Amino acid sequence: MESSSNGTFHLRRTRRKRIGMILAGVLFLATILGIVVLVTLLVDVAMQSRAWLDMQFLNSLPSRFADQAGIKPALYGSLWLMGLTALISVPLGVASAVYLEEYARDGWFLQLIQINIANLAGVPSVVYGILGLALFVRFAALGQSLLAGALTLSLLILPIIIISTQEALRSLPTGLRESAYALGATRWQVIWSHVLPNAAPGIFTGVILALSRAIGETAPLILIGALTFVPFLPQSAMDQFTALPIQIFNWTARPQDEFRGLAAAAIVVLMILLFAMNLSAILLRDYFERQTAGE
Amino acid sequence: MSTESPPTSTAPESAAAEDRATARPADDLTQQVYDSPKELAIKYALGACALVSVFTTLGIAAVLVIESIPFFQEVALTEFFGSAEWTPQFSEKHFGIWALLSGTILVTVISAVVALPIGLASAIYISEYAADGVRRVLKPGLELLAGVPTVVYGYFALTFVTPLLQAVVPGLGVYNALSAGIVVGIMIVPMVASLSEDALQAVPDSLSGAAYALGATKFETVLRVNVPAAFSGIMASFILAVSRAIGETMIVTLAAGASPKMTLDPTQSIQTMTAFIVQVSKGDTPQGTIVYQSIFAVGLVLFLITLAMNIFATRITQRYQEKY
Amino acid sequence: MPTDMPNDNPRPDSSPDMDETVSDSAPEPVSANGQADPDDAAAAPPKADPSVRPKIEIQDLNFWYTDTHALKGITMNVKPHQVTALIGPSGCGKSTLLRCLNRMNELIDGTTLEGDIQVDGQDIYAPDTDPVMVRRRIGMVFQKPNPFPKTIYKNVAWGAQINGYTGDMDDLVERSLRQAALWDEVKDQLHSSALNLSGGQQQRLCIARTLAVQPDVVLMDEPASALDPIATSKIEETITELKSDYTIVIVTHNMQQASRISDETAFLYMGRLVEMNPTEKLFTRPEKDRTEAYVTGRFG
């Protein structure tokens, strides 16, 4: 490209090199911009929350008065939600993935289901909220209960669990299944004794990531009507509830500064919860990998 | 060894072993084990679970369509798609989707302007430039960024980014499309980065090797060989990220305001489709009113737009996966 | 070693209808005669004289992977209590043929099989034949040692356990490991992970695992190809010793190995059976030019 008409080359090496270095620098800056924003966000939230984050905050019920307000019901609500969502979505998602990977024959139907799952993963969460409102809150008459919320969040994270489980199943060596089949095992014996135990690390990681998505979701919960004043702890799956993201939204939306501080404190709690979940995902994966490698 | 191999310790088994060693009494090969009732029951139970995802899609479509019908019986399609006035709270109600749609488009465009270049640059850097050690820090960092709940981003937009922008942009209100758009952009950077990186990784090394062999420098190779070769994958990542921005709810609800209007001015307060849905459902709007029904109509439009974009992106991805 | 097998039933070639046991089945797709044959088998038990009835009879077998015609009209018999080797250049279909014998190929999507395979006179592809039952009777050892990521003990016991073995499991594990000539090396570490074993030990563990199900045919797909020479010779010894209890079909790309351990050898080329003969004859006086070219190393 650098040849001129009389057929000599002008390599312009220094210039090309300099452009290359500038470009690499720009790319690097763009890449760490994301990290910088993340750090800024975390530091900002931490600073804002300092005055509010204490045991009283963790132990109190929500209140009209900022200095008495706490997140106990929201924390309990989030933990309840997470537990129920896990109970519903994990068996359903893992079972779906097992069916799609181990049973379904290649064909248009399988293709259709796969495309459908990929698309579901891209449906906005607020649309899941609309579905939950119509299907669970009203049609199934579950009201604005924890169960309705958990069912809605389950449908929301189901595609994530299915896709990550499928990846975990696909990454197993085919020899594992073949050797079990060759011993006269049935499909289910192969799956239960070999496929699932060996895919467990990948499945666990995917499940925890999906649940950490669920625990941060706000819009679907607002849609099903969770944005109410709940000054009590949930006692059963049929109780009304509030959750951390709801509380954060509620406080952030208020104009007073002190409520912003409360929001920041609640964000810190939520982020710690998310961080703990991610850490446990990593630890679990390590544990399983050591197990498989032999004791 | 073969002769003494079955240790004759326990009588009945060794007898069985003897028998087997010569010729097993014709085993019943037709005993149905593979398709035993238990196996079939498990298979159908798992299959039923797999169908849940299909019914979810059908459920979404059914709910949106059925619940929109009463709305469209009162509001003509010509007004819905033909008007840019959205005043459900006024006594003289107007339901022109363009007021909300333009808000969504404005925020989405701002977010794309932020996210696409940064995301693509990150993808190029991570896939082509970063040393292993750097990559090991950057990738989890971006994953963390992707894991931040949107309500937290909303808080960040309202309490940090907006005041920052107000210092630069004179007359910027508390609620504005600019701040929301920028933060939505930051939110989708990891998505663009990781999907584009996948596309770049899928480009065979032989292709860039050929460019190096012709004397091209690194940046020439990356920009003229790798990026064009991964073009369709990168496009797919853009479309998916934009679709995600369109569906984003909490950031715009908190930071962009609640005033539906058709404007291209990013400093204005606007309202997106998603923010409207939240606004109605968090209030005390009684069921059965036209305002309440309108969220299903808006939801339907939102669903169709994101669905179309997702399908389009999947098509593109499939095409580039076939290529290599 | 193969030479000491009595050649009391010399067969000039492997033409389809050279012995009376080939029943009424025309060389057509899967037949309905699977139900009738078990009675035959019961009436004339094969244990009386191994030469009367082949262990495995393959009739006009055709096999496709989606569009690839991998096996073309294979007809051959495998005698009981012998080692039969399948040889041929890579891609000739020898592994595919082996995997047809215990219905492993049908685990792959898009495959089609036509023809007839009978084991002890039972059609293993009959519509009402259960693939799991077939695989219990016909075990398989794979090219790459692939023990389960479990303990040695569990590797051996699992197959028997799922097949409802009610006897003394410790005894069965020991017996199987002894048969695979692995017992002495692992008896003190039965409950440690199988993945800590060497490649050769892992492969013998896979053999033990297969034997624990008490099959009567053992299929081996290049069982020593991933192993060093010492491990290979141990595997070969084991195979030779297993012959008296089991019928063995082994795929190998190593012609020396075929000549060392097998009694009969089948040479496949491009999906067709070119020649099947007693091993010694096939290697020293092959009938077909192509066989000669292959065994003398002129191609492949």
Side-chain angles (χ1 to χ4, degrees):
Chain A
M1 76 183 185
E2 303 286 351
S3 73
S4 63
S5 53
N6 64 3
T8 59
F9 289 99
H10 301 283
L11 289 174
R12 289 190 250 172
R13 273 192 52 223
T14 42
R15 181 165 163 261
R16 285 163 68 195
K17 261 192 157 168
R18 196 172 305 139
I19 294 176
M21 279 170 66
I22 292 169
L23 184 86
V26 169
L27 292 177
F28 176 72
L29 287 177
T31 310
I32 62 163
L33 189 70
I35 313 284
V36 170
V37 171
L38 181 67
V39 172
T40 312
L41 189 156
L42 295 177
V43 170
D44 174 52
V45 168
M47 301 284 285
Q48 299 288 330
S49 70
R50 259 189 328 187
W52 300 96
L53 192 58
D54 50 24
M55 283 316 286
Q56 188 245 328
F57 177 71
L58 292 177
N59 263 320
S60 300
L61 304 178
S63 164
R64 229 182 312 255
F65 308 104
D67 50 354
Q68 290 169 25
I71 53 159
K72 196 171 187 186
L75 192 56
Y76 275 66
S78 276
L79 294 175
W80 264 92
L81 265 186
M82 195 167 62
L84 286 173
T85 305
L87 279 180
I88 299 162
S89 63
V90 174
L92 212 51
V94 173
S96 303
V98 166
Y99 182 81
L100 296 176
E101 285 302 305
E102 309 290 325
Y103 285 86
R105 291 247 159 190
D106 232 350
W108 66 269
F109 187 67
L110 181 63
Q111 290 279 12
L112 191 77
I113 294 189
Q114 292 287 20
I115 291 173
N116 174 54
I117 289 169
N119 284 328
L120 275 180
V123 170
S125 59
V126 67
V127 172
Y128 281 98
I130 296 178
L131 176 69
L133 171 66
L135 195 60
F136 302 129
V137 177
R138 283 166 33 193
F139 182 72
L142 297 175
Q144 294 153 2
S145 63
L146 275 167
L147 186 58
L151 284 166
T152 307
L153 292 180
S154 293
L155 292 186
L156 174 74
I157 62 169
L158 199 56
I160 309 175
I161 293 182
I162 295 175
I163 291 170
S164 62
T165 304
Q166 279 188 291
E167 272 164 19
L169 296 177
R170 254 177 242 157
S171 67
L172 296 177
T174 43
L176 183 77
R177 296 182 181 86
E178 282 197 332
S179 51
Y181 278 122
L183 292 175
T186 64
R187 244 181 228 286
W188 183 244
Q189 285 165 338
V190 174
I191 291 166
W192 186 250
S193 301
H194 300 291
V195 171
L196 287 179
N198 285 288
I203 296 175
F204 269 109
T205 316
V207 161
I208 291 178
L209 288 179
L211 286 177
S212 57
R213 165 95 190 268
I215 202 176
E217 277 297 343
T218 320
L221 298 183
I222 296 177
L223 259 287
I224 66 159
L227 190 69
T228 42
F229 185 66
V230 181
F232 53 82
L233 301 183
Q235 302 297 322
S236 83
M238 295 312 293
D239 283 352
Q240 279 210 338
F241 69 101
T242 184
L244 284 174
I246 294 283
Q247 208 58 255
I248 294 168
F249 171 71
N250 201 354
W251 283 330
T252 307
R254 295 198 191 190
Q256 300 94 330
D257 268 351
E258 53 269 35
F259 283 104
R260 299 273 166 85
L262 286 176
I267 288 174
V268 170
V269 174
L270 179 62
M271 295 299 282
I272 287 174
L273 206 57
L274 286 174
F275 181 73
M277 288 173 74
N278 280 293
L279 193 69
S280 64
I282 295 168
L283 293 179
L284 263 175
R285 186 172 46 190
D286 275 6
Y287 172 76
F288 273 104
E289 268 163 13
R290 253 181 293 127
Q291 282 253 307
T292 329
E295 40 271 56
Chain B
M1 161 162 184
S2 53
T3 47
E4 83 262 348
S5 69
T8 47
S9 51
T10 45
E13 279 141 42
S14 63
E18 291 291 347
D19 206 347
R20 190 247 329 122
T22 46
R24 209 150 47 168
D27 232 357
D28 183 13
L29 287 186
T30 60
Q31 186 186 333
Q32 296 299 304
V33 183
Y34 195 75
D35 286 329
S36 69
K38 181 188 168 203
E39 286 287 321
L40 287 179
I42 291 170
K43 176 178 171 174
Y44 291 126
L46 295 172
C49 291
L51 284 179
V52 169
S53 64
V54 177
F55 285 118
T56 306
T57 307
L58 295 179
I60 290 173
V63 163
L64 292 175
V65 169
I66 292 169
E67 301 273 349
S68 297
I69 289 173
F71 174 81
F72 284 115
Q73 278 168 347
E74 292 208 23
V75 177
L77 279 173
T78 46
E79 174 175 350
F80 190 67
F81 289 112
S83 157
E85 250 188 293
W86 188 272
T87 55
Q89 275 85 358
F90 298 174
S91 54
E92 195 190 322
K93 297 185 189 329
H94 287 286
F95 293 96
I97 189 73
W98 283 104
L100 296 176
L101 204 51
S102 70
T104 295
I105 292 170
L106 184 58
V107 169
T108 304
V109 167
I110 296 168
S111 73
V113 167
V114 173
L116 303 191
I118 295 178
L120 181 57
S122 307
I124 294 174
Y125 186 80
I126 290 174
S127 115
E128 311 291 334
Y129 283 88
D132 265 358
V134 182
R135 195 197 315 250
R136 239 172 281 141
V137 178
L138 288 178
K139 285 197 79 165
L142 284 174
E143 275 165 30
L144 271 177
L145 200 62
V148 175
T150 56
V151 70
V152 176
Y153 278 118
Y155 170 90
F156 186 64
L158 186 65
T159 66
F160 188 87
V161 177
T162 299
L164 205 67
L165 288 172
Q166 280 170 328
V168 188
V169 185
L172 189 70
V174 175
Y175 302 109
N176 62 82
L178 186 60
S179 171
I182 289 173
V183 176
V184 171
I186 291 167
M187 183 196 81
I188 60 174
V189 161
M191 199 171 173
V192 178
S194 91
L195 292 176
S196 289
E197 197 215 328
D198 290 347
L200 284 168
Q201 295 284 6
V203 175
D205 284 343
S206 56
L207 220 56
S208 48
Y212 286 127
L214 293 175
T217 62
K218 175 124 192 167
F219 89 90
E220 288 162 351
T221 307
V222 168
L223 286 194
R224 302 199 180 176
V225 177
N226 295 48
V227 172
F231 183 74
S232 49
I234 292 170
M235 280 313 294
S237 82
F238 286 0
I239 296 168
L240 285 174
V242 166
S243 150
R244 180 81 178 276
I246 291 174
E248 210 311 295
T249 309
M250 296 321 294
I251 301 172
V252 289
T253 302
L254 281 168
S259 34
K261 61 171 142 268
M262 196 153 161
T263 175
L264 288 177
D265 182 355
T267 62
Q268 295 275 315
S269 164
I270 48 99
Q271 187 168 41
T272 64
M273 295 188 287
T274 52
F276 171 74
I277 295 172
V278 167
Q279 189 201 357
V280 170
S281 57
K282 81 178 170 150
D284 306 316
T285 315
Q287 274 184 33
T289 60
I290 185 82
V291 179
Y292 186 80
Q293 286 155 357
S294 71
I295 67 171
F296 296 99
V298 175
L300 183 59
V301 173
L302 178 67
F303 176 65
L304 290 178
I305 292 174
T306 51
L307 183 69
M309 296 184 77
N310 291 341
I311 290 175
F312 187 46
T314 320
R315 279 274 173 85
I316 295 179
T317 320
Q318 274 171 350
R319 220 183 319 145
Y320 92 80
Q321 276 169 347
E322 278 160 24
K323 217 162 69 183
Y324 300 116
Chain C
M1 173 191 312
T3 48
D4 59 23
M5 279 304 295
N7 250 346
D8 54 3
N9 186 15
R11 44 188 61 169
D13 61 37
S14 54
S15 73
D17 42 4
M18 79 274 156
D19 78 38
E20 76 290 353
T21 54
V22 173
S23 46
D24 46 357
S25 69
E28 283 297 313
V30 183
S31 58
N33 61 0
Q35 289 102 316
D37 280 71
D39 302 320
D40 277 3
K47 77 191 317 185
D49 177 2
S51 67
V52 168
R53 160 143 246 168
K55 188 74 183 173
I56 305 173
E57 297 157 273
I58 304 168
Q59 268 290 328
D60 197 27
L61 179 71
N62 284 281
F63 187 83
W64 290 264
Y65 293 107
T66 321
D67 305 319
T68 321
H69 196 172
L71 295 177
K72 298 167 187 166
I74 305 269
T75 296
M76 61 181 269
N77 290 333
V78 173
K79 291 182 196 159
H81 299 292
Q82 289 206 345
V83 176
T84 303
L86 306 178
I87 63 167
S90 17
C92 69
K94 53 192 192 300
S95 286
T96 304
L97 174 58
L98 192 77
R99 294 164 59 94
C100 284
L101 301 183
N102 68 342
R103 298 183 63 169
M104 288 303 282
N105 276 333
E106 70 187 31
L107 297 171
I108 303 166
D109 274 353
T111 56
T112 323
L113 180 136
E114 278 180 8
D116 192 41
I117 301 177
Q118 303 207 355
V119 174
D120 292 333
Q122 282 181 280
D123 180 359
I124 62 166
Y125 280 92
D128 61 345
T129 299
D130 193 282
V132 169
M133 295 307 289
V134 170
R135 291 179 202 132
R136 283 177 189 182
R137 166 111 53 112
I138 305 172
M140 186 163 201
V141 175
F142 295 85
Q143 183 168 3
K144 242 179 77 190
N146 54 0
F148 301 125
K150 296 174 185 278
T151 64
I152 293 169
Y153 185 94
K154 281 182 184 160
N155 260 278
V156 181
W158 188 75
Q161 193 189 321
I162 56 156
N163 285 308
Y165 182 72
T166 50
D168 183 344
M169 192 60 85
D170 293 348
D171 185 55
L172 177 71
V173 169
E174 175 174 345
R175 192 165 63 208
S176 306
L177 285 169
R178 278 190 193 282
Q179 280 186 295
L182 188 61
W183 174 253
D184 293 331
E185 292 162 61
V186 301
K187 63 182 176 215
D188 299 323
Q189 50 177 97
L190 288 177
H191 296 285
S192 66
S193 169
L195 300 181
N196 297 337
L197 298 175
S198 73
Q201 288 174 321
Q202 288 189 2
Q203 193 62 303
R204 277 178 283 143
L205 177 63
C206 291
I207 294 175
R209 177 175 78 178
T210 305
L211 301 182
V213 183
Q214 307 190 342
D216 40 33
V217 179
V218 177
L219 308 175
M220 298 189 172
D221 190 354
E222 305 197 21
S225 68
L227 306 177
D228 61 70
I230 294 170
T232 302
S233 75
K234 280 206 153 183
I235 298 273
E236 289 181 5
E237 266 171 47
T238 310
I239 293 171
T240 314
E241 279 166 8
L242 291 175
K243 194 163 75 177
S244 58
D245 287 353
Y246 304 91
T247 302
I248 294 171
V249 184
I250 178 169
V251 162
T252 178
H253 61 251
N254 179 334
M255 279 177 281
Q256 281 77 34
Q257 186 173 64
S259 65
R260 277 197 300 270
I261 60 173
S262 72
D263 305 301
E264 284 208 292
T265 299
F267 170 59
L268 280 83
Y269 182 69
M270 293 183 68
R272 291 183 197 282
L273 177 66
V274 177
E275 178 171 356
M276 179 165 183
N277 262 320
T279 300
E280 205 233 338
K281 179 172 185 325
L282 187 126
F283 278 100
T284 54
R285 306 182 306 281
E287 283 165 10
K288 303 279 167 58
D289 294 341
R290 202 180 286 287
T291 314
E292 188 176 6
Y294 183 71
V295 299
T296 53
R298 268 185 278 141
F299 82 99

